[in-house]
Amino acid sequence: MTDTAPRPTLEAVAARAGVSRATASRVVNGGDGVREPLVERVRRAVEELGYVPNQAARSLVTRRHDAIAVVVAEPETRVFADPFFALQLRGISKELTAHDNQLVLLLTEGRDDHARVGRYLAGGHVDGALVFSLHLDDPLPGLIQRAGVPTVFGGRPGWSDGLRDVVYVDSDNRGGARDAVRHLVGLGRTRVAHITGALDQTSAVDRLEGFKDVMGDAGSRLVVHGDFTPAGGERAMRELLDRCPDVDAVFAANDLTAAGALRVLRERGRRVPEDVAVIGFDDMQPVAEQTDPPLTTVRQDIEEMGRLMARLLLHGDDELPRGTPAGVVLPTTMVHRASA
Amino acid sequence: MTDTAPRPTLEAVAARAGVSRATASRVVNGGDGVREPLVERVRRAVEELGYVPNQAARSLVTRRHDAIAVVVAEPETRVFADPFFALQLRGISKELTAHDNQLVLLLTEGRDDHARVGRYLAGGHVDGALVFSLHLDDPLPGLIQRAGVPTVFGGRPGWSDGLRDVVYVDSDNRGGARDAVRHLVGLGRTRVAHITGALDQTSAVDRLEGFKDVMGDAGSRLVVHGDFTPAGGERAMRELLDRCPDVDAVFAANDLTAAGALRVLRERGRRVPEDVAVIGFDDMQPVAEQTDPPLTTVRQDIEEMGRLMARLLLHGDDELPRGTPAGVVLPTTMVHRASA
């Protein structure tokens, strides 16, 4: 919510749309009681000027709902199957509840439902939105910007070029990946592989970049694609063993992927860490402690990410570093267990 | 949504509150743009008359949101820890999405937050509410009735006496419990115990009644209290073994409870089913198949319960049996595995 150019004002939006400031304000804050053609004109002016409501000012004047939407850009089955989301929601829930704000979780069956989520956000039902697990080409960011609700993203959005005033919280995915791969190289491993996450997400792309930072482009030969799920980790590990039977180390894009890879390694009679050292990412409990052997991994503080997203949305500018897009990037730490 | 007495009309509410029908309608449908003293007068009239908006009529006139709230009366940590809720939400999500309705999950840290949930429901953000896991003395039902949103409950509400037009979906908890206990007796077991669920919930009370139906009041000696969690099952099983070391059968109020009990039995060197036969309730996967030994249990179709709740809310009277309160009670079936 910081910017180098002066921020377009609500007055400018009203003038451009040819409506009163009061009408523009009502549209920006949900559109209740304004005729559709006027709503459309104001929305267009908002878009053309790149207007983003000043959240602090808005909250003083119009904070009526004391409710914050959370949108996870994954099908609800995934939201409940991957403990990552439960942890992030825990941090968000604690922070919102401490400020007596209602957590409104908008669940979907998949991307086809995102237009409906955009309509709900535009409907004036919440004071802001927390959005995470965005994928490339998802219409959500555009829908959210048109909805005009203050938003904080979880994870660096990959499409931030076209948007202004993007605020996000992320982990140091690239730095954490470098730490993991350097550790494997430091153990004397020479055929270090990487099982990626879903590469339409910046977290997966950044971890892959961290792998390449250490292994160079030559390392690409040992990159196989996963999707952040245990099943994806199993598939990728089988492919890797077929392609390079003497692989001696694997950096997996997250702990669930590593858990799948470990199952396949055991199935194929490889000892971990003697034959193949394995490192994950997340330090997700109970997964990381209960794999066989327990997993060496890159820890990110997922609950804290959620808490911080909520805090940024509620308190805005005060908490933010300068710069556009404004991101807060949390450090990662290595957690050493038996697998590497 | 059926009733024996004539249903009070919106006109009656308006007359009692001394406002126009239009004003009463706006308050009942969310209160946007009506001054607070009038809102208060209409709400009081709604309460005094026991007015419940006719959902079908409402949906034709004012269905603006295409959004349905889901409220689970448990802390969010529990919502994400107990697969029961994920399953029920799955059924709800599928049905709402099929009708292009947004699922709005209202999460809380606990009962202290229920007043805030009531405010959100009263705020005109959703067309209806699905509420489950109610506990006795929870203020939610009253708050929901005051909010004036059509509601379907998951599980028979224990407090239905004071409310009109209560609609719920439940499983045949009492009948299912009877089946389980009869099966244990049929195996020749003579010291049959019951580990209850949380007895401030009707599902737990009904399963206890089913146990007593078969074992009689004398069976009460072998009733110990659990809380539907694995930890509660462990605690109860320890208490049971201390109190009655020669117990030879346990009916646990749900599968998670049974899983905890099985761990303690193994720890204490009891063989299942040879020394102690164990039966659970739910047929929750993967829990019931992965216990050691796999669990004999009473299956209820949790996803179908969620789907049916959503269907009743969206389609109302057409789907409902006659009677007040109007409940749909789904049958249960025994699933036989190794533990009994």
Side-chain angles (χ1 to χ4, degrees), chain B residues 82 84 207 253-256 280-285 288 297-302:
Chain B
D82 186 338
F84 183 92
R207 291 171 203 176
N254 71 346
D255 292 350
L256 294 178
F281 201 109
D282 279 343
D283 195 31
M284 180 74 67
Q285 298 312 332
T297 189
V298 180
R299 176 174 163 76
Q300 60 172 339
D301 193 339
I302 301 165

Side-chain angles (χ1 to χ4, degrees), chain B residues 15-27:
Chain B
R16 179 127 182 167
V19 301
S20 70
R21 189 185 184 287
T23 297
S25 169
R26 266 147 81 200
V27 172

Side-chain angles (χ1 to χ4, degrees), chain A residues 10-335:
Chain A
L10 186 59
E11 284 74 14
V13 169
R16 181 125 182 170
V19 301
S20 71
R21 189 186 183 287
T23 297
S25 168
R26 266 147 80 199
V27 173
V28 165
N29 293 301
D32 282 355
V34 179
R35 284 185 299 117
E36 191 49 44
L38 295 189
V39 172
E40 204 35 55
R41 266 156 61 189
V42 172
R43 293 240 169 98
R44 205 158 47 230
V46 163
E47 223 169 352
E48 288 163 1
L49 294 175
Y51 172 79
V52 176
N54 179 294
Q55 186 200 350
R58 267 195 76 198
S59 68
L60 284 174
V61 182
T62 63
R63 170 76 150 271
R64 298 160 308 181
H65 308 304
D66 294 323
I68 300 293
V70 175
V71 183
V72 185
E74 304 282 354
E76 60 85 17
T77 47
R78 179 89 201 284
V79 175
F80 280 91
D82 187 337
F84 183 92
F85 302 115
L87 267 179
Q88 206 152 27
L89 280 164
R90 183 152 313 159
I92 291 169
S93 177
K94 281 182 185 165
E95 187 71 16
L96 293 184
T97 297
H99 293 87
D100 204 20
N101 266 257
Q102 181 56 48
L103 196 172
V104 174
L105 179 59
L106 303 178
L107 292 174
T108 69
E109 296 280 300
R111 191 180 291 195
D112 289 349
D113 303 329
H114 287 181
R116 197 183 59 228
V117 168
R119 286 200 299 278
Y120 195 78
L121 291 176
H125 304 301
V126 292
D127 301 313
L130 300 170
V131 179
F132 49 95
S133 205
L134 277 176
H135 297 254
L136 209 69
D137 297 329
D138 191 313
L140 254 185
L143 293 165
I144 288 167
Q145 197 182 36
R146 276 197 290 286
V149 287
T151 301
V152 173
F153 293 94
R156 179 174 59 82
W159 34 263
S160 60
D161 290 354
L163 295 184
R164 302 163 70 108
D165 294 313
V166 167
V167 180
Y168 67 87
V169 174
D170 206 351
S171 286
D172 183 9
N173 290 304
R174 188 164 180 164
R178 275 196 301 257
D179 290 346
V181 180
R182 280 189 191 126
H183 181 71
L184 293 169
V185 171
L187 294 172
R189 307 293 164 134
T190 54
R191 290 170 301 278
V192 181
H194 176 44
I195 303 178
T196 72
L199 286 172
D200 62 347
Q201 300 194 278
T202 57
S203 56
V205 171
D206 291 352
R207 291 172 202 175
L208 173 59
E209 290 303 313
F211 173 82
K212 288 186 186 164
D213 287 343
V214 181
M215 301 306 294
D217 281 343
S220 301
R221 195 179 55 92
L222 288 183
V223 171
V224 288
H225 290 192
D227 58 5
F228 286 135
T229 71
E234 290 184 9
R235 272 193 306 273
M237 194 67 233
R238 287 201 182 92
E239 183 187 334
L240 197 54
L241 286 172
D242 291 344
R243 199 199 292 176
C244 175
D246 58 351
V247 60
D248 61 8
V250 175
F251 166 53
N254 70 348
D255 292 349
L256 294 177
T257 299
L262 286 172
R263 271 198 293 274
V264 170
L265 286 167
R266 198 166 47 245
E267 196 181 286
R268 299 277 182 102
R270 301 296 206 284
R271 293 166 306 160
V272 177
E274 295 82 352
D275 301 329
V276 184
V278 176
I279 298 185
F281 201 108
D282 279 343
D283 195 29
M284 181 74 66
Q285 297 313 333
V287 180
E289 277 177 354
Q290 292 184 1
T291 54
D292 179 18
L295 194 63
T296 294
T297 189
V298 180
R299 174 174 164 75
Q300 59 173 338
D301 193 338
I302 301 165
E303 184 174 331
E304 171 64 16
M305 285 176 71
R307 210 186 58 78
L308 189 53
M309 286 171 70
R311 210 144 60 91
L312 285 174
L313 189 61
L314 294 175
H315 305 304
D317 291 352
D318 305 345
E319 305 262 348
L320 275 182
R322 303 282 114 186
T324 301
V328 180
V329 179
L330 301 175
T332 61
T333 48
M334 287 285 297
V335 177

